[in-house]
Amino acid sequence: SNETSSSYGMLLPLQSNEEDNNGVFITSLGFHVDFESIPSRNGGSVSYEVYTLAGSGQYADTNRTSMKFDYRGDFSFWKKISYGTVIQDRNSDYFQIPFEDFSPTYIPSNGGVRSFYVTLDAPALIYKELDRRQGIGNKQKDDDYNSNRKRGDTPTLMIGEVVIGYPFISAEFLYSPKQFVGKIFQDFECPSESPSLQPSQVPSQLPSGKPSVSANPTESPSLHPSVSPSISPSTSLPPTPAPTDYPTLIPSVSLHPTITRMPTVNPTLSPVQTLNSPNSSSSLTQQIYLLGAIVCATAVFLYF
């Protein structure tokens, strides 16, 4: 069945690829909100919280006939990794947690499992009914499952359970196996890291090298403008009027035209900052990290 409905929260177990020897970091979640299920007193907004199981593994034994462990409803086993508010958007019911508001969470390598619990304070988290032959312990395939499995470094979402209440408690009748509807964001090493280092070196060498030459006009001005400017600098060594004139000509002719490369670096950082950190308070390292997350768009897994 493809029918969708909504509830308060959902438990999501994620498993790394068996061929992945490094493990992966989950950097954000995206989900759909049924704003019609939010009480009017909330004013069109709803609060969200995301937790992860403190240790690795399933949140509960998949063998429900003889369960050996069950961490549902016991917050002492869980760690909060994100929280915030979703404000109603008339154009879309989808919301992605900003990267800077989500603590990257590691999934162990070689088939390791990490469990997540995402919840709203209203019954507005949209989920989908199970397909035939689906159940606890089975896999929920993403929109490009076969290609992602061939990569060898992408995790797999296991069938989870919706929670009929906030916050979750240990009563088993409040849980029901369902499918997650949304996106899961993964951080991994990709080709964007090498270009991110090269642009940072090119601007750093050009501005640092050229101004350093102009700062010592004893050698470089005597080498390049040895034909025409050699007279004026020789007569104006004691005073400073001539150096203030000619250094402005030298950079404008042969040095600073190469600085046109710098705008290709700065504009790439500012859009990242406006997209993921509207308050523009992120540090440079955070901007580079977010840039990597955006460039690695293949790390977004869609479940619908």
Side-chain angles (χ1 to χ4, degrees):
S1 175
N2 292 325
E3 295 181 358
T4 59
S5 186
S6 63
S7 186
Y8 282 91
M10 191 166 189
L11 290 156
L12 305 172
L14 281 166
Q15 183 178 31
S16 66
N17 194 302
E18 294 181 356
E19 299 179 358
D20 181 10
N21 296 323
N22 299 317
V24 296
F25 280 91
I26 302 302
T27 57
S28 179
L29 295 176
F31 49 84
H32 294 265
V33 179
D34 180 12
F35 288 100
E36 294 183 357
S37 300
I38 300 175
S40 58
R41 64 177 181 273
N42 288 27
S45 64
V46 62
S47 298
Y48 69 87
E49 301 170 33
V50 182
Y51 297 81
T52 184
L53 196 64
S56 60
Q58 287 274 359
Y59 60 86
D61 195 338
T62 55
N63 185 358
R64 298 303 168 87
T65 57
S66 57
M67 296 182 63
K68 297 180 179 179
F69 62 92
D70 187 355
Y71 304 119
R72 294 175 296 180
D74 190 345
F75 279 100
S76 64
F77 291 98
W78 298 81
K79 176 184 177 182
K80 183 183 289 188
I81 57 175
S82 182
Y83 65 93
T85 302
V86 182
I87 300 176
Q88 184 173 4
D89 183 356
R90 298 184 181 274
N91 298 323
S92 175
D93 63 357
Y94 174 75
F95 173 79
Q96 180 197 332
I97 300 175
F99 291 102
E100 65 268 22
D101 294 338
F102 192 99
S103 298
T105 303
Y106 179 70
I107 300 178
S109 61
N110 303 116
V113 177
R114 196 71 181 264
S115 297
F116 296 83
Y117 167 50
V118 54
T119 183
L120 307 179
D121 62 355
L125 182 67
I126 295 178
Y127 63 85
K128 189 174 76 169
E129 295 292 337
L130 295 181
D131 296 329
R132 292 182 179 180
R133 297 183 298 274
Q134 280 186 322
I136 295 296
N138 297 142
K139 300 176 181 179
Q140 180 182 342
K141 296 182 179 181
D142 58 82
D143 60 332
D144 197 12
Y145 177 79
N146 292 330
S147 297
N148 288 333
R149 295 302 294 173
K150 291 179 181 179
R151 287 170 47 88
D153 60 354
T154 59
T156 298
L157 176 63
M158 314 296 288
I159 294 296
E161 295 177 285
V162 297
V163 185
I164 312 173
Y166 171 82
F168 68 170
I169 59 177
S170 57
E172 292 188 17
F173 65 88
L174 294 179
Y175 300 87
S176 178
K178 305 293 180 183
Q179 292 188 84
F180 173 68
V181 180
K183 297 180 181 180
I184 297 175
F185 293 79
Q186 167 199 353
D187 182 32
F188 65 98
E189 294 184 0
C190 63
S192 64
E193 292 189 354
S194 55
S196 63
L197 294 178
Q198 291 176 359
S200 63
Q201 291 177 355
V202 173
S204 62
Q205 290 177 356
L206 289 178
S208 62
K210 306 300 182 180
S212 63
V213 174
S214 63
N216 298 321
T218 56
E219 294 180 357
S220 59
S222 61
L223 293 176
H224 295 286
S226 59
V227 179
S228 57
S230 60
I231 300 176
S232 57
S234 62
T235 56
S236 60
L237 289 177
T240 58
T244 57
D245 292 335
Y246 289 96
T248 57
L249 296 177
I250 295 171
S252 62
V253 174
S254 60
L255 298 181
H256 288 281
T258 57
I259 298 181
T260 54
R261 298 180 182 177
M262 293 182 62
T264 61
V265 177
N266 293 333
T268 56
L269 292 179
S270 58
V272 176
Q273 187 172 356
T274 56
L275 286 175
N276 295 292
S277 55
N279 56 4
S280 69
S281 61
S282 299
S283 65
L284 180 60
T285 56
Q286 290 175 331
Q287 291 176 359
I288 294 176
Y289 171 75
L290 297 180
L291 178 63
I294 291 176
V295 171
C296 297
T298 54
V300 182
F301 307 106
L302 176 63
Y303 297 89
F304 57 88

Short mmCIF file of all heavy atoms in Angstrom, two decimals, residues 263-288:
data_model
loop_
_atom_site.label_atom_id
_atom_site.label_comp_id
_atom_site.label_asym_id
_atom_site.label_seq_id
_atom_site.Cartn_x
_atom_site.Cartn_y
_atom_site.Cartn_z
N PRO A 263 37.63 36.01 -7.01
CA PRO A 263 36.17 36.00 -6.93
C PRO A 263 35.55 34.64 -7.17
O PRO A 263 34.44 34.40 -6.77
CB PRO A 263 35.76 36.99 -8.04
CG PRO A 263 36.95 37.89 -8.18
CD PRO A 263 38.14 37.04 -7.90
N THR A 264 36.26 33.71 -7.81
CA THR A 264 35.69 32.38 -7.99
C THR A 264 35.69 31.59 -6.70
O THR A 264 35.01 30.60 -6.58
CB THR A 264 36.49 31.61 -9.04
OG1 THR A 264 37.85 31.47 -8.59
CG2 THR A 264 36.47 32.32 -10.37
N VAL A 265 36.47 32.01 -5.72
CA VAL A 265 36.49 31.32 -4.44
C VAL A 265 35.47 31.91 -3.49
O VAL A 265 34.64 31.23 -2.92
CB VAL A 265 37.90 31.38 -3.80
CG1 VAL A 265 37.90 30.73 -2.44
CG2 VAL A 265 38.90 30.72 -4.73
N ASN A 266 35.51 33.23 -3.31
CA ASN A 266 34.61 33.85 -2.35
C ASN A 266 33.14 33.68 -2.67
O ASN A 266 32.36 33.36 -1.79
CB ASN A 266 34.96 35.35 -2.21
CG ASN A 266 36.32 35.55 -1.57
OD1 ASN A 266 36.75 34.70 -0.80
ND2 ASN A 266 36.98 36.64 -1.89
N PRO A 267 32.70 33.87 -3.93
CA PRO A 267 31.27 33.66 -4.20
C PRO A 267 30.81 32.25 -3.93
O PRO A 267 29.67 32.02 -3.63
CB PRO A 267 31.15 34.01 -5.68
CG PRO A 267 32.30 34.91 -5.96
CD PRO A 267 33.40 34.43 -5.05
N THR A 268 31.71 31.24 -4.04
CA THR A 268 31.27 29.88 -3.77
C THR A 268 31.04 29.66 -2.29
O THR A 268 30.30 28.78 -1.91
CB THR A 268 32.32 28.87 -4.27
OG1 THR A 268 33.58 29.18 -3.65
CG2 THR A 268 32.45 28.93 -5.77
N LEU A 269 31.67 30.44 -1.45
CA LEU A 269 31.45 30.28 -0.03
C LEU A 269 30.22 31.04 0.44
O LEU A 269 29.48 30.58 1.28
CB LEU A 269 32.68 30.77 0.76
CG LEU A 269 33.94 29.93 0.60
CD1 LEU A 269 35.08 30.53 1.39
CD2 LEU A 269 33.70 28.50 1.03
N SER A 270 29.98 32.22 -0.11
CA SER A 270 28.86 33.01 0.36
C SER A 270 27.51 32.37 0.07
O SER A 270 26.63 32.38 0.92
CB SER A 270 28.92 34.42 -0.24
OG SER A 270 28.92 34.36 -1.65
N PRO A 271 27.27 31.75 -1.13
CA PRO A 271 25.99 31.07 -1.28
C PRO A 271 25.80 29.92 -0.31
O PRO A 271 24.70 29.66 0.13
CB PRO A 271 26.06 30.55 -2.73
CG PRO A 271 27.05 31.43 -3.40
CD PRO A 271 28.05 31.78 -2.33
N VAL A 272 26.88 29.22 0.01
CA VAL A 272 26.75 28.14 0.98
C VAL A 272 26.32 28.70 2.33
O VAL A 272 25.50 28.15 3.03
CB VAL A 272 28.09 27.39 1.12
CG1 VAL A 272 28.00 26.35 2.20
CG2 VAL A 272 28.45 26.76 -0.21
N GLN A 273 26.88 29.82 2.66
CA GLN A 273 26.55 30.42 3.95
C GLN A 273 25.11 30.89 3.97
O GLN A 273 24.41 30.73 4.97
CB GLN A 273 27.48 31.60 4.22
CG GLN A 273 27.33 32.20 5.62
CD GLN A 273 28.38 33.23 5.90
OE1 GLN A 273 29.27 33.44 5.09
NE2 GLN A 273 28.29 33.86 7.03
N THR A 274 24.61 31.43 2.87
CA THR A 274 23.24 31.91 2.85
C THR A 274 22.26 30.75 2.84
O THR A 274 21.16 30.86 3.35
CB THR A 274 23.00 32.79 1.61
OG1 THR A 274 23.34 32.03 0.44
CG2 THR A 274 23.86 34.04 1.66
N LEU A 275 22.64 29.61 2.27
CA LEU A 275 21.73 28.49 2.21
C LEU A 275 21.63 27.77 3.54
O LEU A 275 20.54 27.40 3.98
CB LEU A 275 22.20 27.49 1.13
CG LEU A 275 21.96 27.91 -0.31
CD1 LEU A 275 22.58 26.88 -1.25
CD2 LEU A 275 20.47 28.03 -0.59
N ASN A 276 22.75 27.57 4.21
CA ASN A 276 22.76 26.71 5.38
C ASN A 276 22.98 27.43 6.69
O ASN A 276 22.79 26.86 7.74
CB ASN A 276 23.85 25.63 5.22
CG ASN A 276 23.53 24.70 4.07
OD1 ASN A 276 22.58 23.94 4.13
ND2 ASN A 276 24.30 24.80 2.99
N SER A 277 23.43 28.65 6.66
CA SER A 277 23.62 29.40 7.89
C SER A 277 23.17 30.83 7.67
O SER A 277 23.98 31.70 7.41
CB SER A 277 25.08 29.35 8.33
OG SER A 277 25.91 29.80 7.29
N PRO A 278 21.86 31.07 7.73
CA PRO A 278 21.35 32.41 7.44
C PRO A 278 21.89 33.48 8.37
O PRO A 278 21.96 34.64 8.02
CB PRO A 278 19.83 32.23 7.63
CG PRO A 278 19.59 30.77 7.50
CD PRO A 278 20.83 30.12 8.02
N ASN A 279 22.28 33.10 9.58
CA ASN A 279 22.78 34.13 10.50
C ASN A 279 24.21 34.52 10.21
O ASN A 279 24.79 35.36 10.88
CB ASN A 279 22.67 33.62 11.95
CG ASN A 279 23.39 32.30 12.16
OD1 ASN A 279 24.04 31.81 11.24
ND2 ASN A 279 23.26 31.74 13.34
N SER A 280 24.83 33.88 9.20
CA SER A 280 26.19 34.20 8.74
C SER A 280 27.19 34.24 9.88
O SER A 280 28.08 35.05 9.93
CB SER A 280 26.19 35.55 8.01
OG SER A 280 25.94 36.62 8.91
N SER A 281 27.03 33.32 10.82
CA SER A 281 27.96 33.27 11.94
C SER A 281 28.88 32.05 11.87
O SER A 281 29.62 31.79 12.80
CB SER A 281 27.17 33.22 13.26
OG SER A 281 26.36 32.07 13.31
N SER A 282 28.81 31.28 10.79
CA SER A 282 29.62 30.08 10.68
C SER A 282 31.08 30.46 10.43
O SER A 282 31.38 31.45 9.79
CB SER A 282 29.11 29.20 9.53
OG SER A 282 27.78 28.82 9.78
N SER A 283 31.94 29.63 10.94
CA SER A 283 33.36 29.85 10.70
C SER A 283 33.73 29.36 9.31
O SER A 283 32.94 28.73 8.63
CB SER A 283 34.19 29.10 11.75
OG SER A 283 34.00 27.71 11.62
N LEU A 284 34.96 29.64 8.89
CA LEU A 284 35.40 29.22 7.57
C LEU A 284 35.42 27.71 7.44
O LEU A 284 35.04 27.16 6.42
CB LEU A 284 36.78 29.80 7.28
CG LEU A 284 37.39 29.45 5.91
CD1 LEU A 284 36.47 29.97 4.81
CD2 LEU A 284 38.76 30.04 5.77
N THR A 285 35.84 27.03 8.49
CA THR A 285 35.88 25.57 8.43
C THR A 285 34.48 25.01 8.30
O THR A 285 34.27 24.02 7.60
CB THR A 285 36.55 25.00 9.69
OG1 THR A 285 35.85 25.49 10.86
CG2 THR A 285 37.98 25.42 9.78
N GLN A 286 33.49 25.61 8.93
CA GLN A 286 32.12 25.14 8.80
C GLN A 286 31.62 25.38 7.38
O GLN A 286 30.91 24.56 6.82
CB GLN A 286 31.22 25.84 9.80
CG GLN A 286 31.46 25.42 11.24
CD GLN A 286 30.63 26.23 12.21
OE1 GLN A 286 30.30 27.38 11.95
NE2 GLN A 286 30.30 25.63 13.34
N GLN A 287 31.99 26.49 6.78
CA GLN A 287 31.56 26.78 5.42
C GLN A 287 32.15 25.77 4.44
O GLN A 287 31.45 25.29 3.55
CB GLN A 287 31.99 28.19 5.03
CG GLN A 287 31.24 29.28 5.79
CD GLN A 287 31.75 30.66 5.45
OE1 GLN A 287 32.69 30.78 4.66
NE2 GLN A 287 31.16 31.67 6.01
N ILE A 288 33.41 25.44 4.62
CA ILE A 288 34.04 24.46 3.75
C ILE A 288 33.38 23.10 3.94
O ILE A 288 33.14 22.37 2.99
CB ILE A 288 35.55 24.36 4.03
CG1 ILE A 288 36.24 25.68 3.66
CG2 ILE A 288 36.18 23.20 3.27
CD1 ILE A 288 37.71 25.71 4.00
#
